[in-house]
C-alpha cells in the first residue's frame, strides 16, 4: 500500500509520498516594501506604515508556499500588507475571481498561500487570532 499525501485543500502532493518542499525562515520582520521568495515564513511589522510584499518574477512550482504572519498585531485598516502576485504572472483564485494582489488588514493575521498549478493558481488559507 502506497502512502498518499495531500495538502490542506485535498490536492495530492506529487512525489510518491516524499516531502519535496521545506519551509525555511524568511526575514525576522519585514518592515518595508520587499521582494519575497517562495517557501519561506515572513513576519511583518507595519507599525511604521503599510508595505508591499512582491512575489518573484520566476514562476512558482506546485506545492510552493508563502506564509505571512503578524505576531505583534501591527496590521490594521490603515497599516496594511499588500501581497503583489503580478511579477510571477500568477493569480490568486478566490470564488472564481482572479486577484493580482491581496491586502491584509487584520491584526494578528496569519496568511498561507499555497500554489497548486497553472490552472488552479494560488490558494489562500487565512486566520487571525484576537489577543485579549
Amino acid at each position: 500500500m502506497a502512502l498518499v499525501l495531500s495538502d490542506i485543500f485535498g490536492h495530492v502532493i506529487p512525489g510518491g509520498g516524499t516531502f519535496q518542499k521545506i519551509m525555511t525562515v524568511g526575514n525576522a520582520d519585514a518592515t518595508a516594501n520587499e521582494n519575497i521568495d517562495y517557501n519561506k515564513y515572513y513576519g511583518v511589522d507595519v507599525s511604521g506604515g503599510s508595505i508591499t510584499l512582491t512575489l518573484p518574477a520566476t514562476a512558482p512550482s506546485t506545492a510552493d508556499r508563502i506564509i505571512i504572519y503578524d505576531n505583534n498585531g501591527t496590521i490594521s485598516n490603515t497599516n496594511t500588507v499588500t501581497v503583489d502576485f503580478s511579477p510571477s504572472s500568477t493569480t490568486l483564485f478566490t470564488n472564481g475571481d482572479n486577484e493580482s494582489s491581496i491586502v491584509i488588514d487584520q491584526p494578528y493575521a496569519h496568511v498561507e498561500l499555497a500554489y497548486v498549478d497553472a490552472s488552479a493558481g494560488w490558494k489562500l488559507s487565512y486566520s487571525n487570532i484576537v489577543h485579549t
Side-chain angles (χ1 to χ4, degrees), residues 33-48:
N33 293 345
E34 187 168 335
N35 294 324
I36 62 175
D37 204 357
Y38 305 126
N39 300 308
K40 291 193 177 181
Y41 293 95
Y42 289 91
V44 295
D45 181 343
V46 293
S47 56

Side-chain angles (χ1 to χ4, degrees), residues 7-9 23 36-40 42 53-55 60-69 81-85 88 90-94 99-104 110-116 121-126:
D7 63 15
I8 60 173
F9 307 107
M23 297 293 291
I36 62 175
D37 204 357
Y38 305 126
N39 300 308
K40 291 193 177 181
Y42 289 91
L53 302 177
T54 304
L55 271 62
S61 299
T62 296
D64 277 347
R65 296 212 172 355
I66 297 169
I67 296 176
I68 301 163
Y69 58 91
V81 175
T82 299
V83 180
D84 181 7
F85 296 91
S88 69
T90 60
T91 57
L92 174 73
F93 294 109
T94 57
E99 306 291 340
S100 60
S101 67
I102 59 170
V103 176
I104 305 166
H110 179 111
V111 174
E112 180 175 351
L113 299 164
Y115 188 74
V116 179
W122 290 93
K123 298 297 181 182
L124 171 71
S125 172
Y126 169 84

Side-chain angles (χ1 to χ4, degrees), residues 67-84:
I67 296 176
I68 301 163
Y69 58 91
D70 175 24
N71 280 343
N72 300 317
T74 61
I75 294 176
S76 68
N77 60 357
T78 55
N79 288 353
T80 62
V81 175
T82 299
V83 180
D84 181 7

